[in-house]
Amino acid sequence: MSAVLNPVVAATPPARRGELPSAPSVLEPWWVRGLLIGVALTFLTLFLFVPLVAVFAEAFKKGWEAYLASITEADAISAIKLTLLTAVIAVPLNLVFGVAASWCIAKFEFRGKSILLTLIDLPFSVSPVISGLIYVLMFGAQGWFGPWLQEHDIKILFAVPGIVLATIFITFPFVARELIPLMQAQGSEEEEAAIVLGASGWNTFRRVTLPNIKWGLLYGVILCNARAMGEFGAVSVVSGHIRGETNTVPLQVEILYNEYNFAAAFAVASLLALLALVTLALKSFISWRLNESIAVDSALRSTEH
């Protein structure tokens, strides 16, 4: 009882208060834990570290000059520019959609909510190749809108618009799926209090909601950007593989590899590998900050109650 009434005593670790420490949560023998850790490390080494090292080893196999020549070649530069352009267009659009969808789903109750959640998850359950074929069915020469597009000289397939549309479809769940559980866990009490105090909807979102979701939002944007730059299946179907015009970095890697230009293929692939490493580092940092933010928020809520 005194420990509860005295916050200093309550905050003191059990060992310093003379209490017995709690039993460890892991009771398996040391050799079982060592075996499991060894299996996990072996798996990571064989399926993650070795392929990653192999990519960079093959990329620099012919030297630094050959590597620079491969990534600065005209077709490679065009592929890099198109990949960046696609990400610059697709990621902000998915950010807006993700925030709007998660706001509606987490803060309001309405008919069709479960259907909206299902539609958000649709790109996860549909093969990217099938997604690309859907755009061919819609915008191809024999598709639903193909004749009208040809009459008005509008080109969707085998051009940048088709690549952007396919990338948007593949990547739009990432931001929403990161924000929905976060917003649901936070509840709507703070927004309701702000509105009661006279704040407008925009000010409530900007000063209350956005600061609470900023780390989850960044987490989703990073994952969305990584997928947008690394997407292959859907983009391969709608791009037409026009060299120097509609090839993104993954498609450029495929072309170089099929031409047996392995050094150049691995050199361009190393750019995607670097993107993966940077994404992993940012993801780990933001995940740590997000967990820290959730822990602080939970502590404040428990203190209030």
Side-chain angles (χ1 to χ4, degrees):
M1 185 69 177
S2 60
V4 176
L5 296 176
N6 191 341
V8 177
V9 176
T12 306
R16 293 180 59 185
R17 298 201 306 260
E19 302 174 9
L20 293 176
S22 59
S25 58
V26 179
L27 301 177
E28 289 80 5
W30 66 268
W31 62 269
V32 174
R33 285 175 282 170
L35 179 62
L36 293 176
I37 293 173
V39 170
L41 291 177
T42 301
F43 182 86
L44 288 174
T45 301
L46 293 177
F47 294 96
L48 180 62
F49 298 131
V50 171
L52 188 62
V53 171
V55 168
F56 288 99
E58 291 293 330
F60 290 97
K61 191 173 184 179
K62 294 186 178 179
W64 179 256
E65 294 182 357
Y67 177 84
L68 287 179
S70 299
I71 62 175
T72 56
E73 190 258 339
D75 289 342
I77 293 295
S78 175
I80 293 171
K81 288 181 178 179
L82 180 57
T83 302
L84 293 175
L85 175 64
T86 303
V88 165
I89 297 174
V91 173
L93 291 177
N94 282 325
L95 186 151
V96 174
F97 167 80
V99 172
S102 57
W103 173 277
C104 291
I105 292 172
K107 305 297 182 181
F108 302 97
E109 293 294 333
F110 55 91
R111 291 183 179 180
K113 184 175 179 178
S114 59
I115 298 177
L116 179 58
L117 280 169
T118 302
L119 292 177
I120 290 175
D121 290 335
L122 186 62
F124 287 147
S125 58
V126 177
S127 169
V129 175
I130 302 302
S131 304
L133 289 175
I134 292 174
Y135 284 102
V136 173
L137 177 63
M138 294 175 60
F139 303 116
Q142 306 300 323
W144 298 344
F145 306 108
W148 184 87
L149 293 173
Q150 287 182 338
E151 291 177 2
H152 294 80
D153 196 25
I154 300 175
K155 198 169 184 180
I156 301 295
L157 290 182
F158 313 140
V160 175
I163 296 173
V164 172
L165 287 174
T167 303
I168 290 174
F169 178 80
I170 291 298
T171 58
F172 82 80
F174 286 93
V175 176
R177 265 304 168 191
E178 290 299 326
L179 291 182
I180 289 172
L182 177 61
M183 285 187 174
Q184 287 176 335
Q186 291 175 347
S188 58
E189 292 85 359
E190 294 183 13
E191 286 85 356
E192 292 173 355
I195 292 175
V196 169
L197 292 174
S200 64
W202 169 246
N203 283 332
T204 300
F205 173 78
R206 183 169 58 90
R207 297 190 177 186
V208 178
T209 304
L210 190 58
N212 289 337
I213 66 171
K214 60 181 179 181
W215 292 113
L217 183 61
L218 286 174
Y219 191 92
V221 166
I222 288 174
L223 294 180
C224 179
N225 181 71
R227 180 62 187 272
M229 289 190 175
E231 174 55 31
F232 177 83
V235 172
S236 178
V237 174
V238 302
S239 70
H241 293 268
I242 303 175
R243 197 160 187 166
E245 295 184 19
T246 62
N247 276 338
T248 58
V249 171
L251 300 183
Q252 181 69 12
V253 172
E254 181 197 29
I255 288 177
L256 293 172
Y257 192 85
N258 290 338
E259 293 177 349
Y260 301 100
N261 191 355
F262 299 125
F266 280 103
V268 179
S270 69
L271 300 178
L272 293 177
L274 286 173
L275 172 65
L277 292 175
V278 172
T279 301
L280 181 62
L282 291 174
K283 176 178 174 291
S284 300
F285 172 75
I286 292 176
S287 179
W288 170 70
R289 291 302 303 266
L290 180 60
N291 292 333
E292 187 181 61
S293 177
I294 292 175
V296 171
D297 185 67
S298 299
L300 291 175
R301 289 176 183 273
S302 63
T303 303
E304 292 174 359
H305 292 293

